[in-house]
Structure formats: C-alpha cells, structure tokens
Amino acid sequence: MNDIKLIDIHTHLVPNVDDGVNSLTLAIEIIKSMIEDGVKEIILTPHKQSNRSKGTIKDIKESFKRIESEVFNLGLPIKVHLGYELRYYTHLRPDYHDLVISDTKYLFIEFDSHFDPNIEQVISYITSLGLKLIIAHIERYKYLKYNDIVYFRNLGVLVQVNAKTIYNPTGFRQKRLIRKLLKNKQIDFIASDVHNDTTRTSDLKIAYDKLMNKVDKKYLNDIFYQNAFDIIHNSK
C-alpha cells in the first residue's frame, strides 16, 4: 500500500490540445500510473499562447471535461483540475483571469529560456490585476541566478521545478542551482511536466524518493503535496 501523498501541478494530459497526450486512453493510462505512485490530485496545464498550442480555451475545456468524466466513471481515486501553462510574450495581453488554475488567483506561466522579458515588470503587472504568479520550471531560464529567484519569491512569486531536474540535472549550472534552492527552501513545487508515456513521463515519485533523505520531512511534504493543496483548496 502506497502511503505517499503527491500532487502534480504541471502536466500535459488534456488530449490533442498541445504537444502532450494524443488520446483519452493514453491520458487515463498515465493517470492510473500516477495513482500507483501516490498522486492524489493533478492539475492539467495545457500550453496556451505557445507554438505548441493546438486548441482554443473552449477545446481545452471540452477535452478536460471528458477526462474528468472518465476519471469519475472509472472510480479512480484522484482529483483532476484544469489550469494552463501560459507562455508569456511582451506583445500579447490575454485575459489572464481566464487562464488561472482551477478558479484560483494563481497564474502558471513560462518564459523564454534564453531571453529575459523583464520578469520583475511582469510580476508587477500581473500582481496589479489581483493575480499571483507561479513560474514554471524556473531552472530552465539561463539568465536567472539564485539571487534573482530569491528576489522574485520575496515579491510573492511561487516557483516550480521539474522532477527530472531533481534526479538528473542538465549540467553543472542546474545541479548547483537546485542544490542551493533546496538547501535554502526556495522551491515551492516539484512537478512532473509529463507529456507522454515514453520520452517525457510521469516521474514525480522518482524525485520524491531522491529527496526523501536529503531534506526535512515537512519541506518534502510541502513541495510535493501541501503547497499545491493549499493553492487548490485554500485560495479560492
């Protein structure tokens, strides 16, 4: 019996709306494997405003409803929620309130890996709308240093790191950055960023096991479960 409790806030399991899963069947199979790993809730975050996007908000919501219904009909012991992974562009201003996670005030956002769009200015603007930012896979942005991330968190931003970076960081920069972020408890969420069952799989439990004896139990629970639970259930 798996007594681990995990929540995955970054997944691409809404079929045929981005570069994630391409069928409801595959989505459900992956969800079943996540349940086996101890995942209790999933936020589905299809790409929006990205060259990976394929569907409108209406398409995404309809596809999500099919997943939600199938999870219910099969009696799967898991809750699914809809969010988006919004790609930020300086020249685009969508209605950000339509793109929040599960009717909360939280906006899940990604930036260009190489070009800094002046994230501090983005934070200021989004905050002025009454919303809060979660930055996706913050380890990818090569122009950000550890002190930048600490500064953003002090402004109220939350940060997510991909599970694979925890157990298989890309290069010395990522390895050093993750070590320092973990040591000083500057990560808010670890998530899988799962796209399929072959090359970008659900690996949250692998990261959890990697950190089990490396960080204290409360922080481990916070970054894999409690912080996500709080934004889903305690911030509406």
Side-chain angles (χ1 to χ4, degrees), residues 126-179:
I126 298 297
T127 302
S128 75
L129 300 176
L131 300 176
K132 299 179 180 180
L133 276 184
I134 302 173
I135 299 180
H137 38 58
I138 202 159
E139 71 277 14
R140 286 189 183 176
Y141 311 123
K142 296 178 172 63
Y143 46 84
L144 293 184
K145 297 180 173 59
Y146 170 79
N147 288 341
D148 297 319
I149 296 171
V150 173
Y151 178 69
F152 296 153
R153 291 188 76 254
N154 287 339
L155 293 176
V157 171
L158 303 178
V159 302
Q160 178 255 316
V161 166
N162 278 4
K164 189 172 184 178
T165 312
I166 297 298
Y167 65 85
N168 188 25
T170 302
F172 179 70
R173 174 196 165 274
Q174 273 195 2
K175 185 174 183 179
R176 182 177 60 180
L177 177 64
I178 294 304
R179 185 188 299 125

Side-chain angles (χ1 to χ4, degrees), residues 8-14 18-21 26-27 29-31 33-34 37 39 42-47 85 108 137 140 160-164 190-204:
D8 199 338
I9 74 161
H10 187 175
T11 68
H12 295 270
L13 299 178
V14 180
D18 63 4
D19 59 340
V21 299
L26 179 56
E29 288 305 309
I30 292 173
I31 288 171
S33 73
M34 295 171 78
D37 283 346
V39 178
I42 307 172
I43 301 175
L44 283 65
T45 54
H47 288 288
E85 182 181 8
F108 191 52
H137 38 58
R140 286 189 183 176
Q160 178 255 316
V161 166
N162 278 4
K164 189 172 184 178
I190 294 173
S192 72
D193 196 6
V194 55
H195 280 62
N196 53 51
D197 63 345
T198 53
T199 58
R200 301 182 68 179
T201 58
S202 172
D203 53 4
L204 204 54

Side-chain angles (χ1 to χ4, degrees), residues 7-223:
I7 295 178
D8 199 338
I9 74 161
H10 187 175
T11 68
H12 295 270
L13 299 178
V14 180
N16 298 312
V17 297
D18 63 4
D19 59 340
V21 299
N22 57 12
S23 72
L24 178 60
T25 299
L26 179 56
I28 293 300
E29 288 305 309
I30 292 173
I31 288 171
K32 287 178 178 177
S33 73
M34 295 171 78
I35 291 169
E36 289 295 316
D37 283 346
V39 178
K40 309 301 182 185
E41 304 190 45
I42 307 172
I43 301 175
L44 283 65
T45 54
H47 288 288
K48 200 76 191 80
Q49 204 167 267
S50 165
N51 58 13
R52 300 179 183 90
S53 303
K54 298 177 185 176
T56 65
I57 290 179
K58 181 181 178 183
D59 296 330
I60 291 169
K61 287 183 176 179
E62 289 176 353
S63 192
F64 171 76
K65 284 294 183 184
R66 288 191 285 273
I67 289 181
E68 194 174 39
S69 295
E70 190 71 359
V71 166
F72 177 80
N73 292 336
L74 293 172
L76 299 180
I78 198 165
K79 295 179 182 178
V80 292
H81 311 274
L82 180 60
Y84 302 88
E85 182 181 8
L86 176 67
R87 178 61 175 258
Y88 179 80
Y89 292 102
T90 56
H91 62 287
L92 296 177
R93 287 288 188 274
D95 187 340
Y96 292 111
H97 292 84
D98 289 341
L99 299 168
V100 295
I101 292 174
S102 189
D103 298 321
T104 68
K105 298 287 187 183
Y106 287 89
L107 189 72
F108 191 52
I109 196 164
E110 68 169 338
F111 298 101
D112 188 281
S113 296
H114 303 281
F115 173 73
D116 183 355
N118 193 340
I119 293 178
E120 184 176 357
Q121 191 175 72
V122 178
I123 294 168
S124 177
Y125 177 70
I126 298 297
T127 302
S128 75
L129 300 176
L131 300 176
K132 299 179 180 180
L133 276 184
I134 302 173
I135 299 180
H137 38 58
I138 202 159
E139 71 277 14
R140 286 189 183 176
Y141 311 123
K142 296 178 172 63
Y143 46 84
L144 293 184
K145 297 180 173 59
Y146 170 79
N147 288 341
D148 297 319
I149 296 171
V150 173
Y151 178 69
F152 296 153
R153 291 188 76 254
N154 287 339
L155 293 176
V157 171
L158 303 178
V159 302
Q160 178 255 316
V161 166
N162 278 4
K164 189 172 184 178
T165 312
I166 297 298
Y167 65 85
N168 188 25
T170 302
F172 179 70
R173 174 196 165 274
Q174 273 195 2
K175 185 174 183 179
R176 182 177 60 180
L177 177 64
I178 294 304
R179 185 188 299 125
K180 196 167 184 180
L181 289 172
L182 285 168
K183 179 181 178 180
N184 295 294
K185 300 183 177 179
Q186 295 295 319
I187 297 172
D188 298 290
F189 312 98
I190 294 173
S192 72
D193 196 6
V194 55
H195 280 62
N196 53 51
D197 63 345
T198 53
T199 58
R200 301 182 68 179
T201 58
S202 172
D203 53 4
L204 204 54
K205 188 176 182 296
I206 298 173
Y208 182 93
D209 290 344
K210 176 79 174 180
L211 294 181
M212 190 183 299
N213 298 315
K214 295 186 177 181
V215 300
D216 67 69
K217 289 184 179 179
K218 181 184 183 304
Y219 185 51
L220 187 72
N221 183 61
D222 285 346
I223 58 180

